[in-house]
């Protein structure tokens, strides 16, 4: 039987033809050179090394660093392109193909198809997140995994999105990021200076001078093992702030005398103002563990895991104020944020202001030509993208293993609204995503959207987060995958191994 | 002499306290961690978790308690046990952080429960806990993990002593609530008569246990099991299921498997010169016997758990050792060369012994899976394919060692040595299965995580391994190396398998495959890698010396 793509030429005729085209055509010479096995080896080995380095980078730092510097770097993608080219040349190199070449060709075209599918997927498709709340109106936008600064145009009020990658090269005071305010007259020199980024921002307490207040001090607790830092303020004359609980595990107290009765079995840190210095005494179950002088700035190991306390400072007249500040704690209540200042002609015309993720902050508008009552609105957060339909969460269920609180599944029941007012119900649970719009061909061709269960909030069971995937490269990935597996199987088992018989 | 006298003094005590057997308790089911299992399984798992051993040694009292006896003692006669050093704190930095003596590994409940540093550590860990159902959360520091392990031990200890662990009472069939309850709650759900039907045999059981009467104990346990089952037979596990699980636990087929493989390995190695035919047959028989034990073990585990046995490190090591022997048997049946089984069985023995003797690192208990893994179809085709490929690569590695040893002894033919063909055959199986398994993983991820490929470390290391082996195969065609290079490649290539398999979960500890993360064993893995590299370096050096002396 004659197979498709298989030549009827004899071995000699085929060799002669290959030799002839090598001589006659620069293109074919290029193809034969590009099909070098040495080059393929170098491509393979460097690709493997780069991937290994990336996984180490991910383990040491973050997945974003690995992505930015390796997986999505032009060099890495170019390398994959080069691999594709090499694979293509390798198959052309053997043209016209004989029967024995088919497994080889199938495998190598499979890899090319897979890589092309991946390229199409990343160019024309996207991955995003969709957070839904039961009872909330249908959502028509998804959040991409990319931070942006959002500026409103001064005149039109239009939105301007500026990419703000937070994986790498974050701005700091020495290297601020400057963003021109859109629609502002160039001569005004109106610029937004972003000089800090915080992975998490929370209300923390701080000591502020206050004439009405009594003496106050600020301690900072640090734990290297936890990667945590907690400021704690004490006010000598205020009962609510004189004695503080440290996460309910220990107590910190400002006392007038160390002889004051101890009313707790938990570890206790007592501080006493003695002239210009603070004395401390550490107690556990009523007995003294350690005492001495607490010098400002030098950490005191407390013996509570690896927590250390440092005296940051004290004021004779103080009050406690809470303000937004970067923190090392990772909690859902602590969003990421940028710190921005508005500059006009290089001079600050606003206070530095933290803009937490998902919010807008108003900055005073310094331009008299523009409606002065209208503030400048600056937002920060994840970039969003519109869906061609809207999604509503009907219910979110977390069935549990019998007799335990551990979830056995996560089930989001969704309702989709198309633009013509039609609705459709679907459920997304683990391993079974919801797809919309429905239909076999849309699904086979990757022209639909897939909603996979991604995140949940144990504290709020009316809330779910879905991963949204739109991947037009999907069919090529499928075909490529199947070709690779069939090709390798044929390569290995359709004939005895060369040189090893 | 002193020891002998001591032994003599202890002898009457030992004779008197002939340990009770608790097999009859295996027909009593307990609902524990989302699964209904025999009470004896619970006792074994609880004892292992609390003490790090499957029995409790009390050196000061000169006695050893079986797991079931220990758990029953904590439950029914706990007085004084909060002062006995039975709870394991095996991580040295944790002992240091908690201010505990470094030279002891086991501590009493009273010592640990009152430790303020432990409470601080735990509350900090709790605040940082992430909530991603698909995985992806960082497991926290090793110290926190160790601290939360100790906290789990304290909770379990308290729950056993209070009796709240013993959820052995099924709900009435009229109840929609599926959590079983404890004996003191019986009157809330059942009539007085029904309660007595359960509580009377329970009283008899306790009396028999305290009096050390085996026959009465068996009888009472049997009646108790029957009474509990009759409360709601529909939700109670079938007697055959409970018997199978207790049989699985008692027989411990994995141990018999490695004994069979060890016998096979010895038969192949010792009879290479004398009695080769008889030795070969004996080797085959032993290997098949070991293989049958493994098949039996897998059947038990699949029936008990209701899923393919490849869901944690313990299961995957056993599965990979199974794959090694499976491919060795197939290739041996084709080539009749003796070398496949001779090389494969020692590897299977090493792997099975490692999991058998390190029960704390490799958790043998059967637990419900994280929701993302609850799909038998994908578990079977993705995970089993990938781990089968690890088995094929392991066999290739073992055969590679044979080739390198031959080379050391100057016996490796420069070209067309049959061992090269064998290595190549094993590599082929591995490459095909790894390529298929990795791609299948992408297809599964497309459904479960909503993307085909995202450079997750586990995915990436599967790819790196594949690329490495492809380079090993292509390098031969490119003329970069020959048969000898293929053998070296099969040995060094396996290091990337170790990284993809163990390293990603236990060393890198990042990414979405977080349900497989664990700690421990790093020293052994590094030692293995260093030993392999050193061995290859030695062989290369000898080879270079031999070549230069020839020229």
């Amino acid at each position: 039987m004659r197979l498709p793509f298989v030549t009827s030429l004899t071995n000699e005729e085929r060799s002669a033809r290959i030799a002839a085209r090598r001589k006659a055509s620069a293109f074919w010479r290029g193809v034969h050179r590009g099909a070098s096995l040495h080059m393929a080896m170098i491509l393979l080995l460097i690709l493997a090394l780069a991937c290994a380095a990336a996984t180490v980078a991910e383990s040491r730092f973050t997945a974003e660093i690995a992505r930015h510097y390796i997986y999505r770097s032009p060099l890495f993608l170019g390398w994959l392109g080069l691999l594709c080219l090499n694979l293509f040349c390798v198959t052309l190199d053997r043209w016209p193909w004989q029967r024995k070449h088919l497994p080889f060709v199938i495998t190598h075209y499979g890899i090319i198809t897979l890589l092309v599918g991946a390229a199409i997927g990343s160019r024309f498709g996207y991955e995003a997140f969709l957070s839904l709340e039961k009872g909330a109106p249908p959502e028509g936008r998804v959040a991409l995994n990319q931070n942006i600064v959002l500026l409103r145009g001064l005149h039109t009020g239009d939105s301007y999105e500026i990419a703000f990658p937070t994986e790498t090269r974050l701005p700091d005071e020495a290297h601020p990021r400057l963003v021109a305010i859109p629609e502002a007259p160039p001569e005004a020199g109106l610029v937004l200076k972003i000089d800090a980024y915080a992975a998490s921002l929370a209300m923390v307490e701080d000591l502020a001078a206050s004439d009405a207040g009594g003496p106050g001090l600020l301690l900072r607790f640090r734990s290297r093992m936890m990667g945590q830092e907690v400021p704690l303020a004490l006010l000598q004359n205020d009962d609510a702030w004189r004695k503080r609980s440290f996460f309910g595990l220990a107590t910190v107290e400002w006392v007038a005398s160390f002889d004051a009765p101890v009313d707790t079995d938990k570890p206790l840190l007592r501080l006493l103002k003695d002239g210009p210095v603070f004395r401390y005494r550490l107690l556990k179950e009523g007995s003294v563990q350690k005492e001495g002088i607490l010098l400002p700035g030098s950490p005191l190991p407390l013996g509570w895991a690896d927590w250390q306390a440092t005296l940051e400072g004290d004021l004779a007249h103080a009050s406690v104020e809470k303000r937004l500040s970067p923190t090392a704690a990772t909690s859902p209540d602590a969003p990421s944020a940028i710190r921005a200042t508005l500059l006009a002609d290089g001079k600050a015309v606003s206070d530095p202001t933290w803009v937490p993720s998902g919010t807008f902050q108003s900055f005073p508008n310094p331009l008299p030509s523009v409606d002065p009552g209208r503030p400048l609105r600056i937002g920060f957060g994840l970039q969003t993208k519109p869906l061609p339909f809207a999604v509503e969460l009907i219910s979110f269920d977390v069935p549990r293993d019998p007799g335990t609180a551990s979830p056995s599944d996560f089930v989001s029941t969704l309702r989709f609204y198309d633009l013509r007012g039609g609705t459709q119900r679907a459920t997304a649970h683990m391993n079974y995503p919801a797809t919309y719009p429905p239909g076999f061909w849309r699904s086979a061709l990757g022209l639909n959207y897939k909603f996979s269960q991604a995140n949940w909030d144990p504290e709020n069971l009316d809330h779910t987060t879905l991963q949204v995937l739109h991947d037009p490269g999907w069919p090529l990935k499928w075909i490529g995958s199947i070709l690779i597996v069939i090709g390798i199987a044929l390569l290995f088992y359709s004939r005895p191994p060369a040189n090893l018989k | 002499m002193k020891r002998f006298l001591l032994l003599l003094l202890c002898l009457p005590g030992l004779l008197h306290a002939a340990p009770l057997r608790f097999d009859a308790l295996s027909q009593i089911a307990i609902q524990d961690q989302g699964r209904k299992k025999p009470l004896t399984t619970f006792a074994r798992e609880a004892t292992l978790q609390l003490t790090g051993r499957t029995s409790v040694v009390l050196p000061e009292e000169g006695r050893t308690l079986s797991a079931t006896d220990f758990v029953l003692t904590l439950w029914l006669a706990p007085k004084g046990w909060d002062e006995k050093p039975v709870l394991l704190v095996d991580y040295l930095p944790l002992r240091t952080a908690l201010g505990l003596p470094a030279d002891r590994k086991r501590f009493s409940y009273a010592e640990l429960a009152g430790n303020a540093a432990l409470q601080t550590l735990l509350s900090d860990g709790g605040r940082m806990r992430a909530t991603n159902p698909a995985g992806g959360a960082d497991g926290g520091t090793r110290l926190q993990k160790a601290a939360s392990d100790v906290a789990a031990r304290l909770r379990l200890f308290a729950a056993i002593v209070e009796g709240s662990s013993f959820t052995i009472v099924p709900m009435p069939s009229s109840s929609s609530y599926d959590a079983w309850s404890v004996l003191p709650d019986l009157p809330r759900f059942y009539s007085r008569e029904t309660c007595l039907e359960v509580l009377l045999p329970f009283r008899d059981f306790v009396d028999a246990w305290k009096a050390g009467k085996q026959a009465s104990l068996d009888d009472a346990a049997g009646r108790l099991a029957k009474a509990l089952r009759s409360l709601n037979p529909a939700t109670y596990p079938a007697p055959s299921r409970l018997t199978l699980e207790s049989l699985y636990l008692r027989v411990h087929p994995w141990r018999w498997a490695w004994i069979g493989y060890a016998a096979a390995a010895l038969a192949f190695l010792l009879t290479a010169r004398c009695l080769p035919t008889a030795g070969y047959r004996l080797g085959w028989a032993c290997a098949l016997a070991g293989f049958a034990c493994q098949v039996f073990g897998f059947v038990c585990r699949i029936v008990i758990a209701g899923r393919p046995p490849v869901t944690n490190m313990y299961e995957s090591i056993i599965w990979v050792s199974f794959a090694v022997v499976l491919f060795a048997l197939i290739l041996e049946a084709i080539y009749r060369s003796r070398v496949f089984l001779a090389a494969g069985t020692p590897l299977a023995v090493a792997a099975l012994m490692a999991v058998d003797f390190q029960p704390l690192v490799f958790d043998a208990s059967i637990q419900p899976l994280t929701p993302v893994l609850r799909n038998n179809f994908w578990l079977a085709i993705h995970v089993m394919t990938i781990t089968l490929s690890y088995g094929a690569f392991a066999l290739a590695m073992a055969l590679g060692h044979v080739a390198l040893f031959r080379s050391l002894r100057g016996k490796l033919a420069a070209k067309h040595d049959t061992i090269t063909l064998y290595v190549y055959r094993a590599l082929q199986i591995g490459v095909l299965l790894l390529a298929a398994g990795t791609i299948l993983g992408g297809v599964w991820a497309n459904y479960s995580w909503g993307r085909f490929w995202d450079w997750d470390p586990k995915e990436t290391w599967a790819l790196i391994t594949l690329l490495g082996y492809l380079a090993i195969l292509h390098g031969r065609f490119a003329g970069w190396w020959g048969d000898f290079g293929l053998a070296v490649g099969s040995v060094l290539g396996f290091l990337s398998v170790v990284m993809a398999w163990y390293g990603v979960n236990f060393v890198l500890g990042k990414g979405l495959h977080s349900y497989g993360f664990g700690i421990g064993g790093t020293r052994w893995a590094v030692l293995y890698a260093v030993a392999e590299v050193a061995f290859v370096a030695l062989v290369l050096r000898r080879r270079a010396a031999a070549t230069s002396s020839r020229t």
Side-chain angles (χ1 to χ4, degrees):
Chain A
M1 188 187 75
R2 171 128 183 253
L3 293 167
F5 306 111
V6 169
T7 177
S8 55
L9 299 177
T10 63
N11 277 340
E12 291 73 26
E13 288 166 343
R14 181 174 166 271
S15 304
R17 184 187 278 190
I18 291 175
R21 74 181 179 214
R22 249 179 216 269
K23 257 190 211 156
S25 145
F27 167 76
W28 279 105
R29 271 198 299 279
V31 166
H32 291 298
R33 211 162 288 150
S36 150
L37 194 50
H38 298 295
M39 187 164 116
M41 283 292 289
I42 291 166
L43 286 167
L44 279 183
L45 289 174
I46 294 202
L47 204 57
L49 285 178
C51 289
T55 59
V56 174
E58 174 165 354
S59 178
R60 294 281 305 273
F61 308 106
T62 62
E64 283 69 34
I65 297 257
R67 237 164 267 239
H68 181 86
Y69 284 107
I70 301 177
Y71 299 133
R72 302 219 169 127
S73 79
L75 203 62
F76 188 82
L77 297 175
W79 204 256
L80 284 177
L82 215 56
L83 181 71
C84 256
L85 197 67
N86 174 254
L87 294 171
F88 189 58
C89 289
V90 161
T91 56
L92 280 192
D93 176 59
R94 283 148 174 83
W95 178 264
W97 301 323
Q98 295 173 313
R99 195 191 177 96
K100 66 174 183 192
H101 293 124
L102 284 186
F104 177 88
V105 171
I106 291 173
T107 312
H108 289 74
Y109 278 156
I111 302 171
I112 296 176
T113 314
L114 183 64
L115 289 176
V116 170
I120 291 177
S122 69
R123 174 72 188 80
F124 300 105
Y126 60 85
E127 284 168 28
F129 283 96
L130 178 63
S131 281
L132 295 174
E133 187 92 21
K134 206 168 118 184
E139 178 62 62
R141 294 188 82 88
V142 289
L144 301 178
N145 203 5
Q146 153 83 45
N147 277 302
I148 50 162
V149 175
L150 205 65
L151 301 162
R152 294 261 190 258
L154 271 184
H155 295 286
T156 58
D158 288 348
S159 294
Y160 292 84
E161 292 184 354
I162 287 132
F164 189 85
T166 49
E167 297 86 46
T168 50
R169 269 197 242 151
L170 291 169
D172 53 31
E173 281 174 28
H175 309 94
R177 172 119 188 244
L178 299 176
V179 179
I181 300 295
E183 299 177 12
E187 65 277 9
L190 211 52
V191 166
L192 189 72
K193 181 177 87 167
I194 303 168
D195 63 357
Y197 168 79
S200 56
L201 193 73
M203 292 298 270
V204 293
E205 50 196 60
D206 197 3
L207 219 52
S210 154
D211 292 340
L217 67 86
L218 184 71
L219 293 169
R220 191 170 294 274
F221 289 81
R222 281 196 188 86
S223 162
R224 188 187 289 265
M225 284 187 304
M226 306 303 138
Q228 291 250 49
E229 216 182 278
V230 185
L232 190 113
L234 296 177
L235 299 178
Q236 192 184 15
N237 300 341
D238 185 334
D239 278 349
W241 293 90
R242 196 176 53 74
K243 186 173 177 183
R244 306 285 309 277
S245 163
F246 186 71
F247 300 124
L249 297 165
T251 309
V252 185
E253 191 181 10
W254 187 335
V255 289
S257 151
F258 278 146
D259 300 330
V262 175
D263 56 358
T264 172
D265 280 345
K266 289 183 178 151
L268 175 65
L269 170 63
R270 278 187 157 169
L271 297 163
L272 173 79
K273 179 101 176 159
D274 184 6
V277 297
F278 279 92
R279 295 188 167 278
Y280 72 88
R281 181 176 276 188
L282 273 168
L283 297 108
K284 196 173 166 186
E285 288 169 7
S287 62
V288 178
Q289 304 283 311
K290 207 158 119 184
E291 57 186 336
I293 292 173
L294 189 60
L295 295 171
S298 69
L300 166 69
L302 297 164
W304 317 337
D306 75 331
W307 285 100
Q308 299 189 328
T310 312
L311 178 62
E312 291 268 298
D314 68 307
L315 292 170
H317 300 283
S319 65
V320 176
E321 68 170 24
K322 292 202 168 189
R323 57 182 173 77
L324 279 174
S325 171
T327 137
T330 49
S331 92
D333 315 325
S336 63
I338 52 170
R339 190 173 63 198
T341 316
L342 198 59
L343 306 182
D345 269 339
K347 282 189 209 106
V349 290
S350 80
D351 291 332
T353 306
W354 283 102
V355 187
S357 178
T359 66
F360 274 93
Q361 299 291 325
S362 297
F363 287 74
N365 180 359
L367 293 184
S369 61
V370 185
D371 177 6
R374 190 161 159 194
L376 252 168
R377 305 269 290 154
I378 288 164
F380 173 66
L382 292 174
Q383 189 180 12
T384 62
K385 204 175 169 76
L387 288 170
F389 50 86
V391 198
E392 179 188 9
L393 181 67
I394 299 175
S395 66
F396 179 58
D397 300 295
V398 186
R400 315 279 171 155
D401 281 328
T404 70
S406 43
S408 61
D409 202 354
F410 304 92
V411 190
S412 299
T413 308
L414 309 170
R415 186 180 287 131
F416 293 95
Y417 294 85
D418 68 22
L419 298 177
R420 278 166 288 171
T423 63
Q424 171 128 15
R425 268 173 82 111
T427 53
H429 59 118
M430 286 320 284
N431 288 310
Y432 298 91
T435 48
Y436 189 83
F440 173 79
W441 284 110
R442 275 180 183 284
S443 189
L445 296 174
L447 296 177
N448 57 2
Y449 295 78
K450 201 171 281 158
F451 296 82
S452 308
Q453 194 60 51
N455 246 318
W456 71 305
D457 178 0
E459 317 263 303
N460 177 7
L461 291 181
D462 285 338
H463 182 269
T464 183
T465 305
L466 302 164
Q467 161 117 11
V468 184
L469 173 72
H470 177 57
D471 184 7
W474 178 232
L476 290 185
K477 289 180 187 171
W478 256 111
I479 295 168
S481 303
I482 292 168
L483 289 181
I484 291 172
V485 177
I486 293 176
I488 295 179
L490 288 175
L491 254 181
F492 285 164
Y493 298 109
S494 66
R495 59 196 163 117
N499 306 329
L500 284 172
K501 282 165 271 189
Chain B
M1 188 63 193
K2 259 186 188 170
R3 270 190 198 169
F4 179 71
L5 281 176
L6 204 65
L7 195 69
L8 220 61
L9 283 173
C10 291
L11 209 56
L14 292 173
L15 286 176
H16 169 72
L20 285 168
R21 280 171 290 103
F22 297 97
D23 299 343
L25 283 182
S26 65
Q27 283 302 316
I28 295 176
I30 178 170
Q31 188 188 55
D32 172 51
Q33 298 180 43
R35 196 168 81 81
K36 291 164 198 158
K37 52 181 102 165
L39 193 56
T40 43
T41 304
F42 166 77
R44 192 189 138 92
E45 289 174 0
T47 308
L48 187 63
Q49 189 189 340
L50 292 173
T51 69
R53 296 192 183 128
T54 49
S55 56
V56 178
V57 186
L58 297 166
E60 285 159 15
E61 299 170 32
R63 62 185 181 136
T64 301
L65 287 182
S66 74
T68 312
D69 215 357
F70 171 62
V71 168
L72 287 176
T73 308
L74 289 188
W75 181 22
L76 304 170
K79 196 162 185 294
W81 277 85
D82 60 343
E83 300 288 342
K84 290 189 204 281
V86 289
L87 299 178
L88 183 71
V89 184
D90 54 343
Y91 188 50
L92 180 62
L94 180 65
R95 294 205 289 273
T96 315
L98 302 187
L100 297 170
D103 56 343
R104 272 168 55 202
K105 274 191 170 183
R106 288 180 180 76
F107 299 86
S108 72
Y109 180 82
E111 278 175 288
L112 295 175
N115 191 307
L118 180 66
Q119 300 303 325
T120 319
L121 208 55
L122 291 169
S123 91
D124 293 333
R127 278 203 308 280
M128 294 163 78
R129 204 159 31 227
T131 53
N132 184 351
D138 291 344
T141 63
R142 177 152 185 199
L143 193 73
Q144 277 168 0
K145 168 85 174 63
S148 75
D149 284 351
V150 171
R153 281 179 198 129
L154 289 173
R155 278 198 303 275
L156 179 62
F157 186 94
I160 291 175
V161 170
E162 286 163 10
S164 60
S165 272
F166 297 92
T167 42
I168 56 173
V169 178
M171 290 289 100
S173 49
S174 55
S175 165
S176 59
Y177 196 56
D178 57 6
W180 288 16
S181 58
V182 291
L183 285 173
D185 283 346
L186 260 175
R188 285 174 52 203
F189 308 105
Y190 295 99
S191 68
R192 191 166 173 274
E193 290 69 30
T194 317
C195 291
L196 284 177
E197 277 169 27
V198 175
L199 293 175
L200 289 177
F202 179 68
R203 189 200 58 192
D204 295 346
F205 171 80
V206 176
D207 289 346
W209 173 69
K210 283 187 173 158
K213 291 178 182 163
Q214 183 71 54
S216 319
L217 185 136
D218 288 348
D219 173 62
R223 282 187 290 128
L224 178 61
K226 211 169 144 193
L228 286 168
R229 174 180 298 281
S230 68
L231 295 177
N232 188 348
T235 61
Y236 217 79
S240 55
R241 272 281 297 279
L242 294 172
T243 309
L244 183 76
E245 183 159 356
S246 111
L247 182 75
Y248 166 75
L249 215 63
R250 222 174 34 243
V251 172
H252 197 51
W254 315 122
R255 182 162 301 160
W256 290 107
W258 70 252
I259 291 172
Y261 295 151
L266 283 177
F268 283 120
L269 295 174
L270 297 180
T271 63
R273 297 261 162 74
C274 58
L275 294 172
T277 318
Y280 185 68
R281 285 195 187 134
L282 180 68
W284 256 99
C286 293
L288 282 175
F291 192 71
C293 290
Q294 261 196 308
V295 171
F296 170 73
F298 282 129
V299 170
C300 288
R301 246 187 126 87
I302 291 168
V303 171
I304 294 164
R307 57 171 152 82
V310 280
T311 57
N312 62 14
M313 206 58 185
Y314 174 83
E315 290 184 330
S316 81
I317 289 183
I318 293 177
W319 177 255
V320 168
S321 67
F322 174 80
V324 170
V325 179
L326 172 72
F327 295 131
L329 286 171
I330 294 172
L331 293 171
E332 188 64 52
I334 297 170
Y335 291 100
R336 300 270 162 192
S337 76
R338 173 178 206 116
V339 70
F340 289 107
L341 281 173
T345 45
L347 201 61
V349 172
L352 288 171
M353 280 177 78
V355 291
D356 208 9
F357 292 114
Q358 290 292 327
L360 273 186
V361 179
F362 305 109
D363 180 13
S365 66
I366 298 173
Q367 305 286 3
L369 293 178
T370 168
V372 72
L373 291 183
R374 291 190 193 196
N375 189 307
N376 283 345
F377 173 73
W378 286 115
L379 259 188
I381 70 167
H382 162 59
V383 188
M384 287 175 107
T385 313
I386 287 269
T387 36
L388 279 176
S389 81
Y390 293 170
F393 288 132
L395 182 63
M397 179 266 284
L399 293 165
H401 277 101
V402 175
L404 294 187
F405 275 119
R406 283 171 68 90
S407 161
L408 266 185
R409 294 166 59 202
K411 284 188 172 176
L412 188 72
K415 259 198 165 173
H416 306 325
D417 196 299
T418 45
I419 191 76
T420 311
L421 173 69
Y422 302 155
V423 171
Y424 189 78
R425 283 300 190 201
L427 287 180
Q428 280 183 323
I429 299 175
V431 167
L432 177 61
L433 290 173
L434 183 60
T438 308
I439 285 169
L440 287 167
V443 178
W444 184 8
N446 187 64
Y447 288 104
S448 61
W449 293 329
R451 86 287 184 291
F452 181 81
W453 188 272
D454 198 28
W455 301 107
D456 176 73
K458 195 87 177 169
E459 295 171 351
T460 310
W461 269 98
L463 178 71
I464 294 168
T465 306
L466 188 60
L467 291 175
Y469 279 104
L470 288 178
I472 291 167
L473 296 183
H474 281 80
R476 233 177 103 255
F477 291 113
W480 286 24
W481 45 72
D483 294 2
F484 176 76
L486 195 72
V488 169
S490 68
V491 171
L492 294 184
F494 195 70
L495 296 181
S496 70
V497 173
V498 171
M499 190 62 203
W501 180 16
Y502 163 85
V504 171
N505 291 13
F506 283 65
V507 180
L508 294 181
K510 280 261 172 101
L512 284 173
H513 287 77
S514 57
Y515 35 76
F517 287 0
I519 44 178
T522 314
R523 204 181 308 156
W524 291 104
V526 170
L527 201 67
Y528 166 73
V530 170
E532 286 289 44
V533 172
F535 173 63
V536 168
L538 173 80
V539 177
L540 285 172
R541 224 180 113 194
R542 287 277 186 90
R543 203 176 142 86
T547 320
S548 63
S549 70
R550 269 205 300 275
T551 54

